[in-house]
Amino acid sequence: DLLPLDLLSRVLSRAGEGVRGVTGGGVHLIQSGGVMGVRLSRPHPSLDFPSSQYLVNCHLFPREFSIVTTLKVSLVAPKKNEYIFSGRLLIGLRFSRDRLHFLFRGRSGGVMARWVFRGIELADDRWHTLVLAFSGHYATLTVDCNTHLELVHSKSLPSDLSIQGSRFHIGSRGRWNGLFSGLIRQLVLVPGSDATPRVCPSSNAGLAELSVPAVLLDLPQKGTRSDLTLPSYESEVRVSVGLEKSCSSSVRGQLWFNPIRRALYLCDGTLWVPMLQGGVQGLGLMAAMAHRSPSLGSAVYLWRDGGFHLYQKISTHGALSWRHFTMGKKIFLVVSNSRESTGKEETVEKDELSVIYRWNKKTQRFVHYQALQTHCARDWEAFRIQGHTYLAVANHRQGNTNHTIDSVVYKWDRGTQLFVPHQALRTSGAYDWEAFTVGPYHFLAVANAFDGQTTHVDSVIYVWVDGSFHLFQTIKTFCATDWEMFQIGSRVFLVVANGHQLHGNGPGRYAINSTIYELDMSSQLFLRFQDIVTYSAVDWEFFTVGEESYLVVANSFDGESHSLNSIIYRWQGYEGFVPIHRLPTIGCSDWEFFTSGEDSYLIYSSATAPLSKVFRLKTH
C-alpha cells in the first residue's frame, strides 16, 4: 500500500540548487522536444541512496510492482548497455540498441536473472514513456500507451528479496561503465500494483505522466507572448546570429541574437520576443499588509536598511489578507476584500469584489488587473498543477448568517489572460486554504470555522484526480483558521490552528488544543500526532534555521485579553515539538518567516492594534 516512489525527485533534491545550472553532482537540466529532462554526466554519490529510505516498514522488496519511466535517447552503440537505474544486490533496468533488460537477484542471493524485451526501438531521439509491470512469473511492457509486450519467465520474482544493505543507483550501476547517456524525465517505482491504468490512455503518450519532478515542469508555455520565458537551464536550442531573421512555426522556441542591438530574442511562432532587457533589477523583499479600514486602505512595504518602509498604498475595502504569486516573470498580488454587512445585503454582495494586482515594470508599482466576486473572502491560495496556475478563494459567509456556501477554485486561462472559475467546493465559514503535494499527488485543505450553529465542524482535505479536486479526508476541527503543511525528512505533517469551541448561545472556550497530523503511508490518511494547547490560534508558521525545524503559533485571545505570548516550538524528534521561546504579541493574527543576508526574522501582524512587529532570531 505504499504510494508511488518518485526516484528522480529524490536525486534532484539531493543534488540541490546546483541542478539549475551545469553542476550539482553531474546533474544537468536539459530542454529538448519542448519539455525538460535530466542528463547525467558522471556517476556521483548524490545519484544513489539506500533502498531502505524509500521502502519503509518492511525489509523485503515488493512481490508485485511497476516501473514508470519517460526517457529520450539519441544513439546507443551496437554492443553497449546503459542503465536507467539499478539497485545494488537487488534489481536493474538497462537497455541496449533494440532491447530492454530487467535484472533481478535470485532467491537466497543467487545469480542475477534476466528478463529481455526484444524489438524495442528507443534510440530514435524521441520521448518515450515505458510502463513495466511485474508479478510472479509474468511481466508486461507498455511503450507510449500503445505497444504492449508480455513475458512469462521460468523463474518467478522472489518473495523474500531482502533490501538490507542495498542501494538504488539512478542512471548507472554506480560506476562509469553503463552510464545512461540520454535524458530522463520521470522514474517512478510503484509497489503493489500495475501502474498502466494510472498512466494510460494519454493525449501525449510519449510524455504520459505519473509523477514528474516539479523542477521539470517549469517551462515556457505554448501560446501568447506573455506566457513565454527563457528557462535558466542548459537548453538544446540553436542561437542564430544576424540582422534579419524570420520567425515562424518551424523555428518556434529558437533563439536569435541581433549583434547591432545586442539583444536576444525568442520565437513564439509568429513574433520575436525580447529576452534580454535592460531596466531596474528586483527591488528586493516586500511585505503586503492588509487593513480593514477602507479609508486607510492597505500598503506594500519594502525592506531596506534593516527595516520595512512604506512603498505603495493600495485602495482596499475590509481587506483581510494578501497572497503573492508568480507566473513565469509575471508578479501578482491578490487581496481578500470583505465588506462589513449593514443589513442591505444585496448592495453588499454586489460590491464585494476581491482584486488581483499585477506588477508593472515601467511604473514599478502594483496595478489593478482583475476583480473577482467573493463573499467575505478570508484567504487566497495560489498553486500549480501540471503546468497550469490556479487560485482558490476561501469564502467565509454570504450575508450575516449563511456560512455554508461555495468557495471557488479559479484557473488561469491562457487565451483570455484572466482567471476563470474552474470548480466550486462547498465550505462552512472557510478561513484558509493550504495547497501541497506529496509525491505525484496534489492536495488542497480547507480550514472550516463555523456552520452557523457550531464551530465543531469538519475541515476537509481534497486530492486532485482527473482534472478536479475530490474528497480525500475529513478532520474534526474547532473554528479552524489555518492549515500549515511541512516536511521533516521524509515525514509529512499538517498542523491546524483551532480558534475556539462554540455551540449555539453557549459559552466559548479559547484555550483549546491545536493538532499536528502526520501522513501515515500505510493507511494513506493524516493521523493525529501531537496536541498543543493554544489560545484562539489564528496562524501557524513552519521554518528552519540551520538544521533545526520550528513552528510558531499566533495566539490571539484567551477569553479576557489579546495581550498574549505567542510560542516558538522546536522539533525534538521522538518528543515532537517542544516550547522554547515566548514572544509578546497583541491580537496576533499572522506570522511570516524571512531571511535577509545571513539573518533570520519573524514578522507578525495584529488584528486588534495598528501595528506589525519584526523579531530578529538569535540561535545559540
Side-chain angles (χ1 to χ4, degrees):
D1 295 326
L2 289 173
L3 293 170
L5 309 177
D6 188 342
L7 304 181
L8 192 56
S9 286
R10 170 80 182 192
V11 166
L12 293 176
S13 65
R14 294 191 71 194
E17 291 300 323
V19 300
R20 289 189 174 273
V22 294
T23 60
V27 178
H28 305 247
L29 296 193
I30 304 293
Q31 179 187 342
S32 182
V35 297
M36 300 299 295
V38 174
R39 173 167 290 160
L40 310 174
S41 59
R42 67 181 188 275
H44 190 273
S46 67
L47 304 179
D48 70 85
F49 45 87
S51 306
S52 58
Q53 290 186 1
Y54 254 128
L55 299 169
V56 297
N57 302 325
C58 184
H59 68 280
L60 299 178
F61 195 81
R63 298 173 60 182
E64 298 181 349
F65 63 94
S66 298
I67 298 169
V68 180
T69 184
T70 300
L71 48 83
K72 182 179 181 181
V73 184
S74 298
L75 181 66
V76 177
K79 295 184 179 181
K80 184 179 179 182
N81 289 300
E82 297 184 359
Y83 282 80
I84 300 170
F85 88 103
S86 63
R88 186 163 59 88
L89 308 180
L90 281 180
I91 61 175
L93 183 63
R94 76 184 190 202
F95 75 97
S96 53
R97 198 173 205 178
D98 59 354
R99 300 178 184 180
L100 188 69
H101 309 251
F102 176 75
L103 302 92
F104 67 93
R105 182 70 63 185
R107 297 182 183 275
S108 303
V111 297
M112 295 293 284
R114 181 188 307 170
W115 293 15
V116 182
F117 295 92
R118 305 175 188 275
I120 306 299
E121 299 289 343
L122 297 177
D124 58 1
D125 200 30
R126 293 191 296 177
W127 286 104
H128 295 286
T129 294
L130 315 181
V131 183
L132 296 99
F134 300 90
S135 178
H137 292 272
Y138 301 93
T140 62
L141 168 64
T142 303
V143 181
D144 298 340
C145 295
N146 186 5
T147 305
H148 188 78
L149 301 177
E150 297 185 2
L151 286 181
V152 180
H153 202 278
S154 59
K155 292 185 178 181
S156 172
L157 287 170
S159 60
D160 59 351
L161 188 60
S162 174
I163 66 172
Q164 293 180 348
S166 68
R167 302 182 68 85
F168 282 124
H169 300 279
I170 307 302
S172 74
R173 54 177 176 166
R175 49 184 183 266
W176 281 98
N177 187 19
L179 182 68
F180 182 67
S181 63
L183 300 177
I184 306 177
R185 180 165 169 81
Q186 72 176 332
L187 181 59
V188 188
L189 175 64
V190 186
S193 64
D194 181 357
T196 307
R198 301 193 189 189
V199 178
C200 301
S202 172
S203 59
N204 190 356
L207 289 166
E209 296 183 1
L210 177 62
S211 178
V212 175
V215 72
L216 300 182
L217 297 174
D218 293 335
L219 258 187
Q221 302 293 340
K222 294 182 179 180
T224 60
R225 289 182 55 183
S226 57
D227 283 332
L228 290 170
T229 56
L230 180 65
S232 58
Y233 317 108
E234 181 180 352
S235 300
E236 290 186 339
V237 292
R238 295 185 300 273
V239 180
S240 300
V241 180
L243 301 183
E244 297 291 338
K245 180 70 179 178
S246 62
C247 173
S248 64
S249 59
S250 63
V251 293
R252 181 189 181 95
Q254 297 301 310
L255 298 175
W256 165 48
F257 181 74
N258 186 319
I260 301 299
R261 298 180 184 173
R262 300 187 60 82
L264 183 67
Y265 300 86
L266 176 69
C267 175
D268 69 356
T270 305
L271 300 172
W272 289 104
V273 181
M275 305 307 299
L276 297 180
Q277 300 178 350
V280 180
Q281 297 295 320
L283 294 175
L285 182 68
M286 288 182 167
M289 306 292 186
H291 201 290
R292 286 177 180 264
S293 171
S295 60
L296 294 178
S298 299
V300 176
Y301 294 82
L302 176 66
W303 180 263
R304 186 177 66 247
D305 300 327
F308 282 107
H309 301 270
L310 179 63
Y311 182 81
Q312 179 184 356
K313 287 187 175 182
I314 298 177
S315 176
T316 55
H317 302 275
L320 296 175
S321 68
W322 286 97
R323 180 68 61 185
H324 160 263
F325 64 99
T326 62
M327 286 189 291
K329 293 184 178 180
K330 298 187 288 288
I331 303 171
F332 296 90
L333 281 176
V334 57
V335 65
S336 301
N337 280 329
S338 171
R339 290 184 184 271
E340 296 296 331
S341 178
T342 61
K344 300 177 181 179
E345 295 187 359
E346 289 187 5
T347 302
V348 172
E349 293 300 321
K350 182 179 179 181
D351 294 341
E352 196 165 310
L353 299 173
S354 292
V355 180
I356 301 170
Y357 299 86
R358 180 177 173 180
W359 178 254
N360 186 295
K361 293 182 180 179
K362 290 184 178 180
T363 64
Q364 298 285 286
R365 291 292 186 271
F366 286 97
V367 297
H368 186 287
Y369 186 79
Q370 182 182 0
L372 295 169
Q373 177 96 38
T374 54
H375 305 288
C376 193
R378 289 281 179 173
D379 178 61
W380 287 93
E381 181 79 339
F383 52 94
R384 287 177 63 83
I385 298 178
Q386 297 171 351
H388 295 280
T389 300
Y390 298 85
L391 275 178
V393 63
N395 284 325
H396 184 67
R397 70 171 186 267
Q398 195 165 0
N400 280 329
T401 59
N402 189 7
H403 290 77
T404 302
I405 59 176
D406 284 341
S407 291
V408 182
V409 178
Y410 296 88
K411 181 180 180 180
W412 176 256
D413 185 289
R414 294 170 183 165
T416 63
Q417 297 285 289
L418 295 171
F419 282 96
V420 297
H422 178 74
Q423 183 180 3
L425 295 168
R426 207 66 170 170
T427 54
S428 296
Y431 221 98
D432 176 71
W433 285 108
E434 177 79 349
F436 59 97
T437 60
V438 180
Y441 299 103
H442 300 272
F443 295 92
L444 188 62
V446 64
N448 284 327
F450 188 60
D451 65 0
Q453 294 293 324
T454 179
T455 61
H456 191 194
V457 295
D458 285 337
S459 289
V460 184
I461 304 171
Y462 297 93
V463 64
W464 182 267
V465 179
D466 296 331
S468 62
F469 286 104
H470 297 260
L471 176 66
F472 176 78
Q473 183 180 354
T474 59
I475 295 178
K476 285 292 184 184
T477 53
F478 298 90
C479 189
T481 55
D482 180 58
W483 283 108
E484 178 87 351
M485 177 270 187
F486 58 93
Q487 288 185 252
I488 299 178
S490 60
R491 302 171 69 177
V492 178
F493 298 91
L494 266 179
V495 58
V496 65
N498 282 324
H500 67 278
Q501 287 183 339
L502 175 68
H503 184 78
N505 296 321
R509 292 182 53 201
Y510 300 92
I512 58 176
N513 285 331
S514 291
T515 303
I516 302 172
Y517 298 87
E518 181 176 8
L519 180 59
D520 178 69
M521 293 300 185
S522 58
S523 64
Q524 297 192 9
L525 292 172
F526 283 93
L527 303 181
R528 184 184 301 270
F529 173 76
Q530 182 182 357
D531 289 324
I532 297 176
V533 176
T534 55
Y535 298 88
S536 194
V538 185
D539 183 53
W540 284 100
E541 178 82 351
F542 175 80
F543 61 97
T544 60
V545 179
E547 299 296 320
E548 302 290 344
S549 298
Y550 301 89
L551 277 173
V552 59
V553 66
N555 285 325
S556 66
F557 187 59
D558 63 1
E560 296 181 356
S561 174
H562 294 284
S563 296
L564 300 173
N565 286 323
S566 291
I567 313 297
I568 298 178
Y569 300 85
R570 182 170 60 201
W571 174 253
Q572 293 289 101
Y574 72 92
E575 295 180 66
F577 283 91
V578 299
I580 62 163
H581 196 68
R582 289 166 171 78
L583 298 171
T585 55
I586 303 173
C588 185
S589 62
D590 185 38
W591 281 107
E592 292 294 333
F593 172 81
F594 66 96
T595 60
S596 179
E598 297 181 356
D599 293 322
S600 299
Y601 300 86
L602 281 171
I603 180 174
Y604 94 87
S605 60
S606 170
T608 59
L611 64 86
S612 293
K613 192 171 184 178
V614 179
F615 297 88
R616 184 161 59 92
L617 302 180
K618 294 183 178 180
T619 57
H620 302 282

